[in-house]
Amino acid sequence: MIHWLFLDLDSYFASCEQQEHPELRGKPVAVIPLQAETTCCLAASYQAKAFGVKTGTLVADARVRCPNIVFVEGHHRLYTRYHERIVETVETCLPIDSVLSVDEMICELTGSQQQIPNAVALARKIKHVLRERVGAILTCSIGLATNRYLAKVASDRNKPDGLTIFLQENLPEALYPLALRDLPGIGPRMEKRLQEHGIFSVQALCRLDRTPMRQLWEAWSGNAITIGCAGKT
């Protein structure tokens, strides 16, 4: 059974620009706050990401990595307008439980929607309707899982335009190929802390009992419990 559907827009700011401006489609694009070599990229299209340009890359460095890159100053009103259209469109298919950010939202599945074939069909329907009503360039990646956290993790797999399912019977083994930093809540500092305690893989993390995991996470114990019990809940 699938309980949650997590939707993540792919390279959202850059995709909005490419959707709005056809001449940018298929080109490496970076959205920046202002035209200056010393500022950094707010977002990058997948064509730019192929050259190693990503969020936080300095403009000067991005230009070296990708000489043909196009820099576009951000238009946040545009992104808000597209966000509103996306929310309205998704809700024609499925009620949204929470809008988490301008490019992320999560939906709870109920009744027959929780059956795996129905959940997959619903995810594909959302993708189709978004293409038809909002724009073909604004793709999304969808994660399906038994809880909110794992649905978020699944949505980050197989980007762009991905659809990933974490089935209960395949957990926690399905998480083992991931790097620690692939899990939301694990940044550089947390990764270092885990490694100091001899945890260098997701497999080792999943083997922890709840108590030591909670102690490692401290204020983030909720996430820790979700990961550690992924195969048991």
Side-chain angles (χ1 to χ4, degrees):
M1 303 290 279
I2 301 295
H3 297 283
W4 294 95
L5 181 153
F6 195 104
L7 185 150
D8 186 357
L9 279 299
D10 300 317
S11 293
Y12 181 60
F13 290 174
S15 295
C16 286
E17 296 292 347
Q18 290 179 317
Q19 180 63 46
E20 191 74 5
H21 304 286
E23 69 274 12
L24 297 177
R25 297 176 188 177
K27 296 181 180 180
V29 174
V31 177
I32 56 178
L34 72 164
Q35 295 290 347
E37 295 296 299
T38 54
T39 192
C40 63
C41 301
L42 301 176
S45 68
Y46 278 89
Q47 295 85 0
K49 288 180 178 179
F51 289 86
V53 179
K54 57 185 179 180
T55 301
T57 301
L58 289 175
V59 167
D61 293 339
R63 201 183 299 280
V64 171
R65 296 178 186 181
C66 183
N68 295 325
I69 195 167
V70 179
F71 295 105
V72 179
E73 289 190 35
H75 300 91
H76 294 284
R77 290 184 180 178
L78 173 68
Y79 312 147
T80 299
R81 288 201 303 270
Y82 271 111
H83 167 78
E84 291 170 351
R85 289 172 58 188
I86 289 165
V87 168
E88 291 174 0
T89 301
V90 172
E91 290 202 314
T92 65
C93 304
L94 181 67
I96 296 172
D97 182 78
S98 301
V99 175
L100 305 175
S101 67
V102 73
D103 61 350
E104 292 183 331
M105 57 201 73
I106 190 163
C107 306
E108 184 175 10
L109 304 183
T110 60
S112 62
Q113 295 171 344
Q114 296 180 350
Q115 297 175 14
I116 294 169
N118 294 343
V120 172
L122 190 53
R124 288 175 175 161
K125 178 182 178 181
I126 290 171
K127 286 174 171 284
H128 173 75
V129 174
L130 283 175
R131 285 194 297 269
E132 292 294 313
R133 300 189 184 182
V134 183
I137 304 301
L138 283 160
T139 62
C140 67
S141 293
I142 293 177
L144 299 170
T146 55
N147 62 48
R148 296 168 64 108
Y149 185 89
L150 290 175
K152 161 63 176 172
V153 175
S155 74
D156 287 333
R157 305 294 93 207
N158 303 311
K159 280 179 164 286
D161 200 22
L163 173 54
T164 303
I165 312 170
F166 284 152
L167 299 177
Q168 185 67 48
E169 56 266 31
N170 297 329
L171 296 170
E173 289 78 10
L175 303 175
Y176 291 172
L178 304 182
L180 289 171
R181 294 278 294 278
D182 289 333
L183 298 177
I186 299 183
R189 293 175 63 186
M190 190 63 200
E191 181 182 40
K192 181 180 179 181
R193 185 175 184 185
L194 290 170
Q195 292 174 347
E196 288 171 349
H197 287 78
I199 301 168
F200 294 89
S201 67
V202 172
Q203 183 173 2
L205 181 64
C206 289
R207 287 175 177 168
L208 286 179
D209 291 331
R210 294 188 182 205
T211 299
M213 186 175 287
R214 184 181 291 111
Q215 292 171 346
L216 281 171
W217 246 261
E218 295 182 337
W220 302 323
S221 59
N223 284 353
I225 292 172
T226 300
I227 300 169
C229 300
K232 304 175 186 177
T233 56

